Amino acid sequence: MLLAAELALKCSAIVLAGLAARALLHRRSAALRHRLLAAAIVAAIAAVPLSGILPAWEIRPTSSDVATPVATATTLDTRAPSPSHIATATPLPHDVVRKEEDAGRFLFAAFIAWVAGAAIAFTLIGIAFARLAHVAWTARRLQDGRWVRIARELAAACGVTRRVRLLQTDTPDMLGTFGWLRPRILLPAGASDWPDDRVRVVLCHELAHIRRSDWILQIAAELLRALWWCNPICWIACSRLRRDSEQACDDAVLEAGVAPREYAAHLLDLARDARVASPMWMSALPMARASTLERRIAAMLNPDLNRQPLSRRAGWVAVSALLALALPIAAARTTAQTARALTGWVYDVSGAMLPEVALTLEDAKGLKLETTSDASGRFEFPPVEPGRYVLKAGLAGFRSLRYELELTEDRDWKRAVTLQVGEVKESIVVSAPRPAESRAVSPIQTPTPVRVGGNLRPPRKVRDVKPVYPGAMREAGIEGLVLLEATIAGDGSVRAVRVLSSQAHPDLAVAAVDAVRQWQFEPTLLNGRPVDVTMTVTLEFKLE
């Protein structure tokens, strides 16, 4: 949806630039204005594939309200929160969620409406092409006679090198041109009875369309209007392009030596015979349209208008200037609109929100932003641009969090962070007398508690089993340090004990594991609910 909106803005900007250039050159010839507007329309169509091909350049924000990340020293607050800051099970802000859901439904409905309108518009163009092809298939081709002779003379005079086919239909309102590489001129049923002067006027006008490739340019405008049917700029550009095309061909007829009053009289007669508007004219170039006839006659009777044909140099200069403007627009990326505040909520494993959590956001260049979650667990960073970042979060009693994130789509700027309960640590020294002495094993040291934050009650040992120094190890004089990691389950029992140290003797490790498995704790409560917690135990076997 955002990509479609960005492409629509780019196409609108390019077409609007063409309309502005056309307005500035209102005193120049219609041929030059038509070429400028046609170049803008073709560039707007090409902007869709060029946006994915051209190297992107970003439009960076310049407003003062967008904060720039600055390098700061990151220090996590390890103090335990005061009772007033203990997290409670606060519900999500329903008003924010509701607004986001409403906005999402509106954007989805707008997208569906745009797709449906574009499908209808393209279907109408397809029907018009089918009807035009049917008329051309059933028409009678003129291969000799007066029309063919005059057409060859005028084609050679105006520089048309493509072979033009003349097709006479059975209806009185079919007078127009279509086709690009194989152009065709449709003639009404009574065209064989026209005088030579009218034949020359009609053929001169239609051959001017063919020489200028007006049909393919008008079809491009119709396709652009069908794609962005909801954009009034495309409708205006399509109408102005057709108007300038007809006026440029009228100027070509007048430059060929036809008197303005005589030409106007022929147009009035042709429009009178073709009063029925056919829907297939969207895929062809009719010569006499009643809706534009008054403006065209007023223009051809005005002796002060510029009627010069488009020179090759002027055409290339105008098109090059417009493309120089269109290409940067197609390559632009609207990053200024995507820089936004990174927000979210911090939870514990029970689903309650955590306040006073220190968070740090770091980009690839090492620049950092810092913030702290409020009393409801919500945090917010200043606006940041799309890219890769590292988010860090820490609170006493909980494991420090560090993970990479990539901000690309809208939903990426809203995050949910969950902190796991921190580890419980115990350091125990298991001592025994050396073989020459007879002394009792020293008592096991009391576990050292770790300060925790949030509404977290650390586990308390209710059953203690002292490790026994293996006799074989004592006789051999072997000492060692055994590091264990165990899980205290929700019921207070110890499970999943594993040895972390690789240098300890297996007999010492077995003695340590046997003792730790028999320990029993009170359940660890997080916000009143029992949770599993990881425990690290260090046992030192030492001879005295």
Side-chain angles (χ1 to χ4, degrees):
M1 184 63 188
L2 291 178
L3 178 61
E6 182 176 339
L7 292 176
L9 289 175
K10 290 180 179 181
C11 293
S12 299
I14 296 174
V15 175
L16 194 60
L19 289 173
R22 176 187 179 277
L24 292 176
L25 299 176
H26 66 281
R27 295 186 179 275
R28 302 298 296 272
S29 65
L32 178 60
R33 298 197 304 269
H34 177 269
R35 186 54 55 89
L36 270 176
L37 190 53
I41 291 174
V42 173
I45 296 176
V48 176
L50 288 178
S51 296
I53 298 175
L54 293 176
W57 64 278
E58 298 180 351
I59 304 175
R60 298 189 176 275
T62 57
S63 57
S64 59
D65 59 338
V66 178
T68 302
V70 295
T72 58
T74 304
T75 303
L76 297 180
D77 187 4
T78 58
R79 296 175 298 174
S82 60
S84 61
H85 289 152
I86 293 177
T88 57
T90 307
L92 288 173
H94 295 291
D95 55 343
V96 176
V97 176
R98 191 182 306 112
K99 290 180 180 179
E100 293 179 354
E101 291 178 352
D102 293 342
R105 283 193 292 266
F106 173 77
L107 291 177
F108 181 74
F111 179 75
I112 294 300
W114 169 67
V115 172
I120 293 174
F122 281 111
T123 301
L124 292 177
I125 292 179
I127 293 174
F129 270 104
R131 294 189 61 182
L132 187 62
H134 175 72
V135 170
W137 178 263
T138 57
R140 180 173 60 90
R141 181 180 177 183
L142 302 180
Q143 297 183 352
D144 53 16
R146 180 170 54 118
W147 275 92
V148 176
R149 176 178 54 81
I150 298 176
R152 290 174 180 173
E153 294 176 0
L154 294 178
C158 64
V160 175
T161 58
R162 286 168 287 177
R163 185 178 180 182
V164 180
R165 296 183 179 183
L166 302 179
L167 304 177
Q168 188 169 11
T169 66
D170 297 331
T171 58
D173 61 339
M174 296 295 178
L175 178 57
T177 299
F178 73 98
W180 181 35
L181 299 178
R182 300 174 62 185
R184 297 171 178 85
I185 299 178
L186 293 176
L187 302 175
S192 57
D193 299 331
W194 289 353
D196 289 352
D197 53 351
R198 178 171 297 183
V199 172
R200 291 183 176 276
V201 165
V202 169
L203 288 178
C204 187
H205 182 94
E206 302 303 333
L207 289 172
H209 278 306
I210 295 173
R211 178 174 56 86
R212 293 163 36 83
S213 300
D214 289 343
W215 179 81
I216 190 65
L217 296 175
Q218 191 65 42
I219 292 300
E222 296 290 345
L223 293 177
L224 181 67
R225 183 173 63 175
L227 180 62
W228 307 115
W229 60 270
C230 53
N231 191 344
I233 296 178
C234 296
W235 288 79
I236 295 174
C238 191
S239 175
R240 298 294 186 272
L241 185 72
R242 187 181 292 272
R243 179 191 304 176
D244 290 341
S245 171
E246 294 300 327
Q247 186 176 346
C249 293
D250 291 341
D251 293 340
V253 175
L254 298 178
E255 288 293 319
V258 180
R261 293 184 178 275
E262 179 185 353
Y263 185 32
H266 286 302
L267 279 181
L268 286 174
D269 292 339
L270 293 174
R272 190 179 301 113
D273 295 336
R275 290 190 297 269
V276 180
S278 175
M280 72 180 62
W281 287 136
M282 72 168 59
S283 57
L285 294 175
M287 179 176 176
R289 291 171 60 95
S291 58
T292 61
L293 194 59
E294 181 180 357
R295 186 185 299 271
R296 291 171 60 187
I297 292 177
M300 69 180 62
L301 296 178
N302 187 355
D304 298 329
L305 289 183
N306 187 340
R307 308 185 190 279
Q308 293 181 355
L310 180 66
S311 64
R312 185 182 300 272
R313 179 180 178 183
W316 279 111
V317 169
V319 172
S320 300
L322 192 61
L323 289 179
L325 176 65
L327 291 179
I329 293 177
R333 298 292 185 271
T334 56
T335 57
Q337 298 178 357
T338 57
R340 65 199 69 182
L342 177 62
T343 61
W345 289 267
V346 185
Y347 304 88
D348 59 26
V349 292
S350 69
M353 296 183 179
L354 291 177
E356 300 297 328
V357 178
L359 297 105
T360 304
L361 187 67
E362 183 177 353
D363 64 4
K365 299 179 181 179
L367 301 180
K368 300 179 181 178
L369 288 173
E370 296 179 349
T371 188
T372 304
S373 61
D374 59 17
S376 64
R378 185 180 184 275
F379 67 89
E380 180 175 350
F381 286 100
V384 293
E385 296 181 358
R388 291 183 175 272
Y389 295 87
V390 175
L391 180 64
K392 301 178 183 178
L395 181 65
F398 293 84
R399 293 185 181 181
S400 297
L401 177 69
R402 182 186 186 279
Y403 72 97
E404 296 183 0
L405 55 89
E406 185 173 3
L407 304 179
T408 54
E409 302 180 2
D410 288 345
R411 62 175 180 268
D412 296 336
W413 271 262
K414 290 181 175 58
R415 293 280 171 171
V417 178
T418 302
L419 296 185
Q420 301 292 330
V421 177
E423 296 180 349
V424 178
K425 296 182 180 180
E426 283 204 28
S427 296
I428 300 175
V429 177
V430 181
S431 60
R434 294 186 181 274
E437 303 179 2
S438 178
R439 300 175 60 181
V441 178
S442 61
I444 300 176
Q445 296 183 355
T446 305
T448 304
V450 179
R451 291 186 301 172
V452 295
N455 192 4
L456 179 66
R457 192 184 73 182
R460 187 173 65 87
K461 187 185 296 185
V462 296
R463 181 187 179 190
D464 186 17
V465 176
K466 299 177 182 179
V468 178
Y469 209 120
M473 297 295 100
R474 186 174 64 86
E475 295 294 336
I478 298 176
E479 300 177 330
L481 188 69
V482 179
L483 184 63
L484 303 178
E485 182 181 83
T487 301
I488 302 176
D491 58 359
S493 62
V494 177
R495 65 183 183 187
V497 182
R498 65 189 185 98
V499 181
L500 299 180
S501 54
S502 59
Q503 303 298 325
H505 193 280
D507 290 348
L508 298 179
V510 169
V513 171
D514 288 343
V516 172
R517 285 186 183 275
Q518 302 177 59
W519 291 354
Q520 185 71 32
F521 294 83
E522 290 183 350
T524 304
L525 300 180
L526 176 62
N527 300 319
R529 298 171 55 187
V531 295
D532 294 351
V533 63
T534 302
M535 175 178 61
T536 302
V537 183
T538 303
L539 297 101
E540 182 180 1
F541 290 85
K542 183 178 180 181
L543 296 174
E544 297 179 349

